[in-house]
Amino acid sequence: MNETTRTYDVIVIGAGPVGENVAERARAAGLSTVIIERELLGGECSFWACDPSKALLRPVVARADASRIPGLDPAVAGPLDVEAVLAHRDRMSSYWKDEDQVDWLNSVSVDLIRGHGRLTGPRQVAVQTAEGDTVMLTARHAVAVSTGTRATLPPIPGLDTVRPWTSREATSADTVPGRLAVVGGGVVAVEMATAWQALGSQVTMLVLENALLERMEPFAGELVADQLREAGVDIRFNTTVTSLAREQGEDGEVRINLSDGGQLTADEILLATGRAPQTRDVGLESVGLTPGDWLTVDDTFRVTGVEGGWLYAVGDVNRRALLTHQGKYQARIAGTVIGARANNEPVDDAPWGRHAATADHTAVPQVVFTTPEIASVGLTSREAERSGRRIKTVDYDLAHLAGAHQYGEDYRGRARMLVDTDRNTVVGVTFAGPGVGELVHSATIAVAGEVPLDRLWHAVPAFPTLGEIWLRLLETHRG
């Protein structure tokens, strides 16, 4: 076993898209930077989440859109070409190889150490490499933990006997199960139910709650549930799995016992039941923190409770917004503020300042790539009510838009805008309907920019597009 010692200005643990962006911004500030990764550069998003899942879903959504177009609908009536869809997924996942990511890292002059990085004390990190060597690292200015999250599995009796799918298996499987049980009702559950049902599985959803997508506006989950049922998905609400067993060895069917006394059999079972931080084995105990905990940070991503202000936590691991695009936003800020502090430059950490992640609190956009799509940013009605603000809710049926009729026959959708009546600004928007994912950035600008409605009235939408929803919402608001 060999041991080497190196010193850098900045050490980043975790080379997913968040860690990569922290490292790139720190290096752009003139700081020597090293990044540590024990799996693939690009992380969960590139290989087991965003890219492969959207590659599976894109043909499903495109076919659903095409089926609403007169003259085109007969041409898309048949089943999807499963082999072609999975091959497209493999390409979008770079065949689970990260050479392109390594090339990019070299292009921005960030060093890479492949191995498992652990904190060993203030500004100290030890890396165990696959070859059995130890690399001892010291940071002059900052260590950033960007290790992301992992799937959590509920304590179901028999779980260890069934080899359940998590989001990783659901996005990388190379065969279509005849019967797939999906436990959960959140984003991963509805997206994977949408994809695998369209690819030929008979999907049954087992949902603990009484609705899908419970963190979003109720109509969003209702519309998705309607479409899933039309596609053939069996959705069972208020249902708990009490025990599991896989019959006849590893290739046998899964027997699922339910809280209502019923039983279900499936070829595979996907547990989409939440995420936990990847902090169990990164050495938090060496700096006075608890292994396995989420890392609480301020708006510049310094970890609270650690003396000296050298430790940062960026991305999902801080639990502020478990979304790749939001993690990259955090990374741009964190890398920049690390550079500013290292170079003794002023730090602008006031709300909406260059070095403050204010959007994490008020303007987080999200798209759920189901049929229909769901797009949202800012507060939901329930959150607005809890905030104590005076809010006006403005609803509109997207099917009334000329652009919706052009998009396809029998268009079904809904929009909701939440107005802070004291400030006359938009604080939340939710769209549900085919094609609404492309509307979310306009909503994000309205919310993050705190655009007064009187000025927003002068942002004229093109006709006939789905973007005309803004005019209709404002007209409805004006009465």
Side-chain angles (χ1 to χ4, degrees), residues 226 264 283 361:
D226 288 345
L264 176 71
H361 305 297

Side-chain angles (χ1 to χ4, degrees), residues 143-163:
V143 176
V145 177
S146 298
T147 47
T149 60
R150 57 180 174 82
T152 57
L153 301 179
I156 302 172
L159 180 65
D160 58 344
T161 71
V162 300
R163 294 180 294 103

Side-chain angles (χ1 to χ4, degrees), residues 334-356:
T336 303
V337 76
I338 289 169
R341 286 173 172 147
N343 294 319
N344 294 314
E345 297 170 355
V347 172
D348 179 11
D349 58 0
W352 301 113
R354 185 181 180 212
H355 302 123

Side-chain angles (χ1 to χ4, degrees), residues 3 5 13 53 81 158 294 296 352 420 445 454 468:
E3 182 172 309
T5 302
I13 305 175
S53 67
D81 183 334
W294 300 96
T296 303
W352 301 113
D420 184 323
I445 292 169
D454 290 343
E468 197 179 10

Side-chain angles (χ1 to χ4, degrees), residues 82-96:
V82 173
E83 184 177 346
V85 172
L86 296 182
H88 171 60
R89 185 271 318 272
D90 293 350
R91 287 192 298 274
M92 293 301 293
S93 302
S94 300
Y95 303 98
W96 291 274

Side-chain angles (χ1 to χ4, degrees), residues 221-238:
E222 291 165 5
L223 283 167
V224 170
D226 288 345
Q227 289 292 307
L228 284 170
R229 287 193 177 105
E230 288 184 20
V233 176
D234 178 9
I235 305 176
R236 305 185 189 184
F237 292 116
N238 301 306

